Amino acid sequence: MTQANTVTVHILDKEYCIACPPDERSNLESAARYLDGKMREIRSGGKVIGADRIAVMAALNITHDLLHKQQRLDQEADHTRERVRDLLTRVDSALATDQDGLGI
């Protein structure tokens, strides 16, 4: 593996060299900063001790947030589909009424 394909990130005071395609470097760095921030929040709360436990709690919190957002997006998509169906029904009804008025 070449040096150009690795990215060094810092998470909770540790350095990690991670293989990464060049076009994903920015995303990886952002993800590492986000994870580092979450882990620092948990550590500063003082209720969880040990890097492994902090990492698991951060993973659980991030996963919970992701699933909650996905559920909200699914609900919004369902609502949008319902509105589109309603609009299509209204358009079909208007077209049918218009055709009836023309004697077609």
Side-chain angles (χ1 to χ4, degrees), residues 34-84:
Y34 185 79
L35 177 59
D36 182 61
K38 289 294 184 181
M39 290 178 69
R40 288 179 185 283
E41 284 176 22
I42 292 167
R43 183 176 68 180
S44 70
K47 294 181 181 178
V48 180
I49 299 173
D52 291 348
R53 289 177 185 253
I54 291 170
V56 168
M57 291 304 298
L60 285 171
N61 289 337
I62 292 167
T63 302
H64 176 267
D65 291 346
L66 174 68
L67 293 175
H68 181 73
K69 286 178 183 180
Q70 184 61 53
Q71 182 182 32
R72 194 178 81 238
L73 286 173
D74 290 346
Q75 289 172 346
E76 289 175 8
D78 289 344
H79 179 69
T80 300
R81 277 190 287 277
E82 189 177 307
R83 289 191 64 208
V84 167

